[in-house]
Amino acid sequence: MSVDMNGSRRFLIEERFNITGRGTVVVIGETTELPVGKTLRATITRPDSSKVTTEAFKEWFIRREQQPLEKEAYLLRGIEKSEIPDGSLVEIEVVK
């Protein structure tokens, strides 16, 4: 679910987890036109309205259950899972 706030789209983070040696991954429930393989900027807005910005890279999150489930995921550098509480939103932008 995306939230339109002040003209920018922020996405509710549906899942988050760490990948040892790589970073923290956040999963959103929508598909965007953002590029794979490019450096992106992610701004996390926490439920207390505090924000943190970090580098992000788009990947695909595929879970094999009864039917495959494919969602967009973003690998974030320099932030730990513990810094992204439940209810946080993420805004992803292309770095120019």
Side-chain angles (χ1 to χ4, degrees):
M1 167 185 81
S2 67
V3 178
D4 189 6
M5 300 179 82
N6 300 324
S8 64
R9 280 182 78 194
R10 294 182 187 156
F11 303 93
L12 182 63
I13 297 171
E14 293 187 359
E15 293 185 54
R16 62 201 190 291
F17 54 90
N18 290 322
I19 297 178
T20 303
R22 293 195 64 210
T24 300
V25 175
V26 295
V27 179
I28 65 171
E30 296 188 37
T31 302
T32 69
E33 297 295 321
L34 292 164
V36 175
K38 300 273 186 186
T39 302
L40 305 169
R41 180 179 22 253
T43 301
I44 305 292
T45 302
R46 300 176 184 117
D48 68 1
S49 297
S50 65
K51 295 182 182 189
V52 63
T53 300
T54 189
E55 204 173 63
F57 300 90
K58 181 178 176 178
E59 299 191 2
W60 289 101
F61 177 65
I62 300 172
R63 178 182 293 158
R64 305 244 183 254
E65 295 178 352
Q66 290 180 348
Q67 292 194 357
L69 174 67
E70 184 177 298
K71 294 186 176 190
E72 278 191 25
Y74 294 89
L75 176 66
L76 308 181
R77 299 279 170 89
I79 188 169
E80 296 293 323
K81 175 185 168 186
S82 61
E83 299 175 77
I84 307 171
D86 288 341
S88 293
L89 302 173
V90 64
E91 179 181 358
I92 307 289
E93 307 170 89
V94 176
V95 176
K96 302 201 186 233

